[in-house]
Amino acid sequence: MGAGVASYTDIRREGLPAWLPTAWVPYALLMRLDRPIGSWLLYLPGPWAFAMAAPSWGRGLWLAFLFGLGAVVMRGAGCVVNDLWDRDLDRQVERTRGRPLASGAVSPRGALVFLAGLMLVGLAILVQLPWPAILFGAASLVPIALYPLAKRVTDWPQAVLGFVFTWAAPTGWLAATGHFAAPAFLLWGAAFFWTLAYDTIYAHQDREDDALVGIRSSALTLGARTAPFLGVTFALCILLLAAAGLSAGLHPLFLAGLLLPAAHFSWQVRRLDIHDPALCLRLFRSNRDAGLLVVLAFLLGRL
């Protein structure tokens, strides 16, 4: 075990899990309710689309509410699927060995029943959307189920996550407008590079353990080249966001607004220390604020 990750975990038992009945806590931890950052990052590409294309404030707020609930539920479902795939590997990694399936706090059968319940709730939310968004949203289930395989077969599982975890951008555009247009795909591309960057930062927490147990990641592939790689991917994200806004006909004021997330991305690159897992986690979590700054930039373009 590398010294950089010994006795390190990101599982938190404070917050919402501390208020739940004891029997519920393992399931709350299984769906990562102790760490809402994943739900935020899954959610935010949707508000990017609403801020740009919602026909009214009321419609935009309603979609933001639905996608927020959906992000919590579907992120939870994705975590259950991931942990079912990875429970044996998780026992070998310091940060993840306390997860409910790896530790035995939840049985595989119990996890499957819980997963079915989450999927039913997710379906109830999904059917509130227009049919094009329902069909496209449902199509995400296949790559979500297959994503945990990526770390076993490719050095770039973060790129696979970038495809899967950003589904809210095109789905949000469909929900807001009822049809696809060029800005939807530009937003999807921007969200892809954003996810590729922040999940590479996240993967550096497990770099040494992953190498020992045979898990592959962009963090292991890049190593000391991570900072310049992040500079490129974050820059591509900003360029595609700018192209999306211009394609959608937003007021040029949004370009000034994009300077704020661009500055945030630059700060992350300068601050990065791949040998400090706690710092990597803080930088990863800071991407919630970067994503919200993108929403603000697009709202400025609607004024």
Side-chain angles (χ1 to χ4, degrees):
M1 188 82 56
V5 294
S7 302
Y8 178 70
T9 179
D10 59 0
I11 294 173
R12 301 171 57 212
R13 295 184 181 272
E14 64 269 20
L16 179 59
W19 294 89
L20 295 175
T22 302
W24 296 10
V25 170
Y27 293 94
L29 296 177
L30 181 60
M31 66 179 296
R32 311 290 199 272
L33 288 183
D34 59 318
R35 285 163 286 163
I37 182 59
S39 298
W40 273 109
L41 296 176
L42 178 64
Y43 168 63
L44 281 166
W48 292 2
F50 312 147
M52 182 181 292
S56 67
W57 280 94
R59 180 64 176 167
L61 290 172
W62 172 241
L63 290 174
F65 171 73
L66 288 178
F67 272 61
L69 287 179
V72 173
V73 171
M74 295 312 297
R75 186 261 186 142
C79 289
V80 176
V81 172
N82 182 79
D83 288 6
L84 283 165
W85 273 91
D86 288 355
R87 60 188 184 276
D88 293 330
L89 290 170
D90 283 345
R91 296 185 185 106
Q92 304 175 60
V93 176
E94 187 70 29
R95 184 178 61 84
T96 59
R97 65 179 53 180
R99 287 179 175 174
L101 277 164
S103 67
V106 174
S107 69
R109 181 177 179 180
L112 286 170
V113 172
F114 185 54
L115 176 62
L118 290 173
M119 296 301 292
L120 286 174
V121 175
L123 177 62
I125 296 169
L126 185 62
V127 297
Q128 307 302 312
L129 302 178
W131 270 107
I134 291 173
L135 296 174
F136 192 79
S140 69
L141 296 178
V142 174
I144 287 172
L146 294 178
Y147 162 68
L149 180 63
K151 67 187 73 173
R152 295 165 169 84
V153 300
T154 175
D155 290 334
W156 293 93
Q158 283 66 37
V160 179
L161 186 72
F163 174 70
V164 174
F165 218 64
T166 56
W167 215 267
T171 307
W173 188 276
L174 280 174
T177 68
H179 62 272
F180 275 130
F185 296 102
L186 292 168
L187 283 179
W188 201 359
F192 169 84
F193 286 111
W194 181 47
T195 305
L196 180 56
Y198 70 61
D199 202 53
T200 296
I201 295 173
Y202 186 81
H204 272 289
Q205 296 175 94
D206 300 329
R207 190 178 65 254
E208 296 179 31
D209 279 345
D210 285 350
L212 290 174
V213 301
I215 292 296
R216 300 156 78 173
S217 75
S218 56
L220 280 170
T221 301
L222 292 165
R225 297 171 295 168
T226 296
F229 174 80
L230 295 179
V232 171
T233 48
F234 279 141
L236 288 170
C237 173
I238 292 295
L239 288 173
L240 287 168
L241 290 171
L246 292 172
S247 178
L250 296 186
H251 189 282
L253 184 61
F254 89 93
L255 292 171
L258 284 180
L259 294 176
L260 296 174
H264 194 289
F265 292 155
S266 177
W267 169 79
Q268 289 186 57
V269 175
R270 295 195 313 272
R271 188 75 178 85
L272 180 69
D273 178 356
I274 64 173
H275 303 293
D276 185 342
L279 174 61
C280 288
L281 181 60
R282 290 197 298 272
L283 292 176
F284 165 75
R285 287 176 173 166
S286 76
N287 279 280
R288 180 201 64 174
D289 300 332
L292 288 170
L293 289 173
V294 174
V295 175
L296 175 62
F298 286 149
L299 289 176
L300 288 174
R302 296 289 298 274
L303 295 179

